[in-house]
């Protein structure tokens, strides 16, 4: 993982093997994500993490097939759950197609931008693998039951237009524009309040998992009221007034 100023970047660099993930990669990423999440100082967090791949064919092909039975159980899901819970914005910059577990890697990110010639394929049912709980949850909460069922139960490949239509990506661009598109998004993220981003991300994930329960409504209301009293909100509002 590279850290450049306020941002971090994770590049998958096995283009000849469709940027697959090996067991050692999963263990290293678990350690990396957990270290970031356990830091309680906002100043230690990057403003955003961008995950992308090398090459023009694939973003990632998921977990290496020969290690699925021996090494997949628990570790891969744990790694993606840790990525999902990071207290800052995460972006999957999909430079190519995503297959298998790579689709869940992308769904564990907050935002996904794809290229116009990408494809998506989830082969779990074809290889006889019942997907793990976190992956099924992300598929249903991000894409809805109908799209999740199509991808999970049929193992069919979908093209970029359909990938955009079902909301797997929020935006498609030409390959040469991917870097500029991500840079524009990072410029917007740089204007946000890191503390508010962290607390709202936590609550958005909780709502996606459980809906608005009484147990969730009270802490969300308290966080909202605390933000109204925060000096940071007052400072930002004053800046906006001065610009008018």
């Amino acid at each position: 993982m590279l850290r450049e100023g306020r941002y971090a970047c994770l590049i998958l660099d096995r283009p000849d093997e469709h940027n697959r993930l090996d067991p050692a990669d999963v263990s290293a990423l678990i350690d990396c994500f957990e270290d970031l999440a356990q830091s309680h100082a906002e100043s230690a967090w990057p403003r955003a993490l961008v995950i992308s791949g090398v090459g023009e064919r694939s973003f990632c092909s998921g977990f290496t097939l020969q290690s699925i039975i021996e090494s997949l159980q628990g570790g891969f899901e744990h790694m993606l759950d840790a990525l999902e819970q990071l207290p800052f914005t995460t972006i999957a910059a999909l430079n190519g197609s995503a297959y298998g577990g790579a689709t869940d890697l992308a769904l564990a990110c907050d935002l996904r931008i794809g290229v116009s010639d990408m494809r998506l394929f989830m082969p779990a049912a074809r290889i006889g693998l019942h997907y793990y709980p976190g992956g099924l949850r992300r598929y249903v909460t991000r894409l809805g039951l109908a799209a999740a069922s199509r991808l999970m139960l049929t193992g069919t490949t979908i093209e970029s237009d359909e990938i955009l239509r079902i909301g797997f990506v929020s935006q498609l661009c030409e390959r040469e524009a991917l870097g500029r598109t991500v840079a524009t998004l990072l410029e917007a993220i740089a204007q946000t309040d890191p503390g508010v981003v962290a607390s709202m991300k936590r609550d958005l994930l909780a709502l996606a998992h459980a809906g608005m329960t009484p147990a969730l409504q009270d802490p969300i209301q308290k966080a909202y009221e605390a933000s109204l009293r925060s000096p940071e909100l007052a400072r930002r509002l004053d800046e906006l007034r001065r610009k008018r």
Side-chain angles (χ1 to χ4, degrees), residues 17-53:
E17 299 167 290
H18 297 278
N19 296 323
R20 72 159 197 262
L21 293 173
D22 286 342
D25 302 322
V26 172
S27 298
L29 289 172
I30 288 173
D31 291 341
C32 179
F33 295 151
E34 289 185 342
D35 286 347
L36 286 171
Q38 289 167 5
S39 173
H40 297 293
E42 289 177 19
S43 59
W45 299 338
R47 295 305 310 273
L49 166 65
V50 178
I51 302 179
S52 194

Side-chain angles (χ1 to χ4, degrees), residues 166-232:
I166 66 173
F168 187 90
V169 297
S170 58
Q171 186 175 356
L172 286 173
C173 62
E174 296 303 317
R175 183 176 303 282
E176 60 271 17
L178 182 60
R180 295 194 303 273
T181 303
V182 172
T184 298
L185 194 54
L186 292 177
E187 289 175 3
I189 290 170
Q191 305 305 312
T192 63
D193 179 338
V196 168
V197 166
S199 63
M200 282 205 295
K201 177 174 177 176
R202 178 198 64 219
D203 291 338
L204 286 168
L205 288 171
L207 288 168
H209 298 176
M212 183 63 83
T213 65
L216 281 175
Q217 184 165 348
D218 183 56
I220 292 174
Q221 179 69 24
K222 288 180 179 178
Y224 162 64
E225 292 172 356
S227 74
L228 291 177
R229 299 188 297 270
S230 73
E232 183 64 13

Side-chain angles (χ1 to χ4, degrees), residues 77-109:
E77 179 179 15
H78 185 184
M79 182 267 288
L80 295 183
D81 288 347
L83 169 61
E84 182 181 36
Q85 296 294 330
L86 287 174
F88 45 82
T89 305
T90 53
I91 303 167
L94 300 162
N95 59 293
S97 299
Y99 305 105
T103 63
D104 195 21
L105 173 64
L107 288 174
C109 293

Side-chain angles (χ1 to χ4, degrees), residues 59-167:
F59 163 67
C60 180
S61 58
F63 200 67
T64 180
L65 291 177
Q66 59 265 34
S67 300
I68 283 180
I69 294 176
E70 296 88 354
S71 306
L72 182 59
Q73 186 164 348
F76 195 78
E77 179 179 15
H78 185 184
M79 182 267 288
L80 295 183
D81 288 347
L83 169 61
E84 182 181 36
Q85 296 294 330
L86 287 174
F88 45 82
T89 305
T90 53
I91 303 167
L94 300 162
N95 59 293
S97 299
Y99 305 105
T103 63
D104 195 21
L105 173 64
L107 288 174
C109 293
D110 302 310
L111 306 170
R112 293 167 295 282
I113 301 169
V115 292
S116 56
D117 58 349
M118 68 175 294
R119 307 171 79 194
L120 189 148
F121 171 52
M122 168 47 72
R126 288 196 180 189
I127 65 174
L129 176 68
H130 186 294
Y131 224 58
Y132 48 85
L136 291 179
R137 171 182 54 77
R138 276 183 286 271
Y139 257 79
V140 172
T141 57
R142 272 45 163 198
L143 306 179
L145 181 58
S149 297
R150 177 184 174 187
L151 291 165
M152 280 288 180
L153 305 183
T154 69
T156 54
T157 299
I158 62 173
E159 309 287 338
S160 55
D161 288 348
E162 184 74 358
I163 291 169
L164 178 63
R165 188 191 69 78
I166 66 173

Side-chain angles (χ1 to χ4, degrees), residues 1-4 7-12 46 48-53 93:
M1 183 176 294
L2 303 175
R3 187 79 180 261
E4 296 183 2
Y7 307 109
C9 189
L10 172 63
I11 302 296
L12 309 176
L49 166 65
V50 178
I51 302 179
S52 194

